[in-house]
Amino acid sequence: MIRGDKTLDSANAQKILGYFIEEAKEHLETLEQGILDLGNLVNNTEQMNEMFRAAHSIKGGAAMLGYSSIQKTAHRLEDAFKILKENPIQVDQKLESLFLKGYDLLQILIDKLPGPLGLQAEEANAIVKKGEPTFAELQSHLNYLLDQKKSTPAIAATSSISISVRDILKQMLQLFKQEETSASRQQLQKLNLSLSQLASEQQKWQYLVKNAQSALANPKHSYRTLAPVIIKELKQASDLLEWDCGEEITVSQELQLLATAKLPQILITLEPELVASTLLQMFNRQQVSQLVQLLQIRR
C-alpha cells in the first residue's frame, strides 16, 4: 500500500492516492444515483453499463494501490451489477435496499482514505467482515429473483487484458517507489514495452504506450514527475479497453510533453503553496525575489 511504504516520496504518494480518491468519488456518485433509480435503470443497457464500469474502476484502482478491502467490496457490487446487466429482472424494494447497504460500505471505506490516519487495515477488515452478510443476502435475493436452477449464477471472469495490465502497473508502481537507477529505469521500460504487446490492434492504446515509453527513456525526467502521469493514464486507458471503448483513449498534454521534451520537466499545480515550494527547490531566495519583482512589473 502506498501509505505504508516509507521508500516512496510522500508528495508523490499523496498525488497518486489523490487521483484515485477523486476518481472514486465520481464513481460513487454514479453508483448512488443509479441505485436510487434502479427499477428504471435495469432495462437501460447503457446506464447499467455505467454502473458496472463505476464499480469496476474502483475495484481496479484499489487493487493497484493495495487496498484489498475496497477492491473486495467494489468487486462484490460489480458482480451484482453484472447479473442485472445480463439478466434484466423486476427490481423490488428489498433489492434496492441491499444494493444501498453494499454501496454504503464502499463509501465508508473510501471516505476514510483522506483522513489523518488513512484507511487502517484492522478497521478496514472489520468493515468488510461486517458487510459480508449484506452481500450474501444480496446474492441470495438475486438468485431468488432470477429463479435459476443453480444456487449461484456463473459470473464471467475479468478479461485477460485487464488482469495483465493491472499486474504490470502494480510492478511499475513498485519500481517508481525505488531509488532512481539506470537498472530500474530499464526495467520500467521493459514492463511498459510488454503493455504494447497487449491489444496490439488498438492504435490509440499503442500510441499511449509509445508516449509513455519515450517519457520513461529520458533520464532527465524524475520518477516523481513520471509516476503520477504514466500510472494514471495507463490505468484509465486499460479501463476503456475493458469496456470495449479503445477509441476513446487519449494522450494528455502532460504525457506528450514528457515524451517529447529534451529538458527535465516539472509539472506543478496552480495551488500557490505548491508553486512556491517548487520554485524554492529550483532557485535560491534571491532569485525568487527577482522573479517576484519581474512579475509585479509585468502585471
Side-chain angles (χ1 to χ4, degrees):
M1 191 186 304
I2 289 180
R3 176 181 51 77
D5 194 325
K6 296 180 180 179
T7 63
L8 179 60
D9 180 86
S10 176
N12 197 26
Q14 288 302 314
K15 193 171 185 179
I16 295 174
L17 179 59
Y19 283 139
F20 171 69
I21 293 173
E22 181 181 356
E23 182 179 327
K25 287 184 176 180
E26 293 178 0
H27 293 315
L28 283 174
E29 184 177 351
T30 297
L31 292 174
E32 182 180 28
Q33 292 177 353
I35 293 173
L36 292 174
D37 194 29
L38 197 59
N40 293 322
L41 260 65
V42 73
N43 293 312
N44 187 314
T45 302
E46 182 55 35
Q47 288 183 308
M48 283 307 303
N49 281 337
E50 289 182 7
M51 301 284 283
F52 175 78
R53 292 172 184 175
H56 177 82
S57 293
I58 294 175
K59 181 192 74 173
M64 186 181 69
L65 296 178
Y67 291 105
S68 60
S69 57
I70 296 177
Q71 175 192 0
K72 183 176 182 180
T73 304
H75 195 179
R76 297 296 294 269
L77 281 173
E78 178 190 20
D79 286 348
F81 285 128
K82 185 175 181 64
I83 295 173
L84 286 184
K85 186 167 72 81
E86 297 180 348
N87 305 276
I89 59 175
Q90 186 68 36
V91 176
D92 59 15
Q93 187 174 357
K94 181 177 180 179
L95 187 64
E96 289 184 355
S97 177
L98 289 169
F99 265 111
L100 278 173
K101 287 181 179 179
Y103 163 84
D104 287 341
L105 290 167
L106 182 61
Q107 184 182 41
I108 289 171
L109 290 167
I110 292 173
D111 283 348
K112 289 185 177 296
L113 289 175
L117 299 178
L119 180 59
Q120 299 294 307
E122 184 176 351
E123 183 181 24
N125 291 335
I127 293 173
V128 172
K129 185 176 181 179
K130 183 179 179 181
E132 285 299 328
T134 294
F135 286 113
E137 189 176 1
L138 173 59
Q139 182 69 64
S140 176
H141 195 57
L142 280 169
N143 290 340
Y144 168 74
L145 293 175
L146 289 168
D147 193 24
Q148 293 184 334
K149 294 181 179 180
K150 295 182 179 181
S151 59
T152 305
I155 298 173
T158 306
S159 73
S160 57
I161 289 180
S162 178
I163 294 174
S164 297
V165 171
R166 188 161 63 243
D167 288 343
I168 291 172
L169 290 182
K170 288 176 72 174
Q171 295 179 59
M172 292 179 71
L173 189 56
Q174 290 301 316
L175 285 168
F176 275 129
K177 296 178 184 179
Q178 299 176 15
E179 181 183 355
E180 296 184 27
T181 65
S182 58
S184 64
R185 190 176 290 270
Q186 288 176 7
Q187 185 63 22
L188 279 166
Q189 290 178 264
K190 183 178 179 180
L191 287 169
N192 187 74
L193 186 61
S194 65
L195 290 175
S196 67
Q197 298 171 6
L198 303 172
S200 57
E201 75 287 354
Q202 292 287 346
Q203 294 183 357
K204 292 189 175 181
W205 166 258
Q206 294 297 324
Y207 181 65
L208 171 62
V209 174
K210 182 178 179 181
N211 275 269
Q213 189 74 355
S214 297
L216 288 167
N218 190 339
K220 295 181 179 179
H221 297 327
S222 69
Y223 285 1
R224 179 176 182 175
T225 299
L226 292 170
V229 177
I230 290 179
I231 293 295
K232 177 187 176 183
E233 295 201 29
L234 289 174
K235 164 62 174 57
Q236 290 178 340
S238 69
D239 284 343
L240 290 173
L241 288 179
E242 175 70 11
W243 305 328
D244 294 325
C245 298
E247 290 303 311
E248 297 180 20
I249 294 175
T250 59
V251 180
S252 70
Q253 292 182 345
E254 290 85 355
L255 182 54
Q256 291 182 28
L257 182 61
L258 290 171
T260 58
K262 295 181 179 179
L263 296 175
Q265 299 298 305
I266 299 178
L267 304 178
I268 60 177
T269 70
L270 296 181
E271 297 178 20
E273 291 185 1
L274 292 178
V275 172
S277 175
T278 302
L279 289 175
L280 288 173
Q281 293 177 23
M282 298 170 61
F283 308 103
N284 59 41
R285 292 190 176 275
Q286 181 180 358
Q287 292 172 321
V288 171
S289 178
Q290 292 174 345
L291 285 172
V292 172
Q293 293 176 7
L294 288 172
L295 289 172
Q296 290 176 337
I297 292 174
R298 295 188 179 186
R299 289 181 59 182

